Amino acid sequence: GFLADTVDSIGGPAARQIANAHTIFNVANTVVCLAFVSQIERLAIRLVPDRPGAEPIRLKYLDDTLLRTPTIALERARSELLRMANRVQVMLADVVPAILDGPAEALTAVEALDDEVDALHGQIIVYLGRVGQRSLGEASTAELVDLMEATNNLEAIGDLIETNLVSLGRTRLANGYQVGPESRLLIEDFHGRVVAALELAVTALVDTDEERAKEVGAMKEQINVRAETIAEHYAQRLMAPEDHRIELYRFETDVVNNLSRVYFFARRTARAAIPTTEQATS
């Protein structure tokens, strides 16, 4: 295909070709986004909360006058992205306590934060699209691609929390499920590690801290080991004579599976702080 032919034409060692393929793919995605900036802008406007009494979230750092200086505009976009990331972090920290014990109001509060995340996401993507329409050097182009990808990854985490995890909390309320103490400890421990991974990823992204970004990737093994431990625990629980054991099994495994997906997007977010030539092996 076109991607393979392009990579072959560039040549170089296998590791370098993998990195080139990753770069070309991301740049191609960015070019597609730039072609639809006006449509994305209209979507961003629609994403602003329109609930009665809801105030649309205001941008703090993005300024069109800075577009003439793309390097500064990209730094401002990174600062605005931190505001979005902070809201996603609050959603992630609050959602598991709300799922396990919280009333409906706690779930609604988490859900409401995603309105702000969606609104910021749309406006940041539009701004980055405008930056991309300027003449950029190689370093600024790479930064633009990474910021777009990180913005989309954080928005994906918000959607996972708002759509999947909040729904699981409502399922627990509707059915009156009670998570046992051992299962609760396992879920809370797993949740804590995913929260820590996202915190590291955001720090790496904002500070362009390559070492912290690699720490997020290095957490993959311990995340997988704990997911397997939890799966074994649930398999044993299925043989116990508990009420609603099948329903509880589905509920608890769904919570852990969705947290695993959150970690996946946190790891992808952290990769924006790693030089493109190393991303293919991280």
Side-chain angles (χ1 to χ4, degrees), residues 28 47 52-53 59 62 88 102 106-107 109 112 133-134 169 185 243 245 275:
L47 287 173
L59 296 174
L62 304 189
V88 175
L107 294 166
Q133 291 172 338
R134 303 280 167 158
L185 286 175
D243 293 338
R245 66 182 184 278

Side-chain angles (χ1 to χ4, degrees), residues 34-251:
L34 296 181
F36 294 97
V37 167
S38 60
Q39 292 91 331
I40 295 172
E41 185 167 9
R42 288 195 293 270
L43 176 61
I45 293 170
R46 290 177 59 191
L47 287 173
V48 174
D50 58 359
R51 297 188 310 275
E55 286 292 329
I57 187 165
R58 305 294 179 186
L59 296 174
K60 186 174 181 180
Y61 297 104
L62 304 189
D63 185 343
D64 285 350
T65 62
L66 297 174
L67 293 173
R68 290 169 293 190
T69 313
T71 53
I72 297 177
L74 288 172
E75 278 305 307
R76 288 297 189 93
R78 193 180 294 273
S79 296
E80 200 71 60
L81 181 55
L82 176 59
R83 296 182 68 214
M84 174 183 166
N86 286 341
R87 285 160 174 77
V88 175
Q89 288 178 281
V90 172
M91 290 176 69
L92 180 60
D94 291 351
V95 72
V96 165
I99 288 173
L100 297 180
D101 296 306
E105 291 78 11
L107 294 166
T108 300
V110 171
E111 195 173 43
L113 268 177
D114 194 55
D115 289 339
E116 296 187 2
V117 169
D118 286 343
L120 285 171
H121 168 260
Q123 293 173 86
I124 293 168
I125 288 294
V126 167
Y127 190 78
L128 290 172
R130 289 174 179 160
V131 175
Q133 291 172 338
R134 303 280 167 158
S135 178
L136 302 177
E138 184 178 347
S140 291
T141 299
E143 183 177 6
L144 173 69
V145 170
D146 287 339
L147 288 175
M148 275 195 162
E149 186 172 1
T151 303
N152 288 331
N153 288 330
L154 287 167
E155 193 264 345
I157 293 174
D159 282 350
L160 271 173
I161 296 169
E162 187 262 346
T163 302
N164 296 3
L165 288 168
V166 167
S167 294
L168 286 169
R170 293 204 167 108
T171 297
R172 190 264 304 171
L173 284 171
N175 293 280
Y177 296 152
Q178 294 292 326
V179 177
E182 190 173 355
S183 294
R184 175 185 295 271
L185 286 175
L186 289 170
I187 290 173
E188 289 174 344
D189 173 70
F190 193 77
H191 173 237
R193 292 178 187 277
V194 175
V195 167
L198 181 58
E199 182 178 350
L200 267 177
V202 171
T203 300
L205 174 67
V206 173
D207 297 340
T208 57
D209 188 327
E210 185 180 342
E211 291 307 311
R212 293 200 177 192
K214 289 180 177 179
E215 284 182 47
V216 179
M219 293 176 71
K220 181 178 179 180
E221 184 176 353
Q222 59 176 277
I223 291 282
N224 288 342
V225 167
R226 277 165 175 77
E228 290 172 7
T229 300
I230 294 172
E232 291 171 3
H233 167 72
Y234 290 154
Q236 293 172 357
R237 283 266 311 281
L238 278 174
M239 296 181 288
E242 296 181 23
D243 293 338
H244 308 296
R245 66 182 184 278
I246 301 297
E247 293 87 348
L248 270 172
Y249 170 81
R250 289 172 180 159
F251 168 79

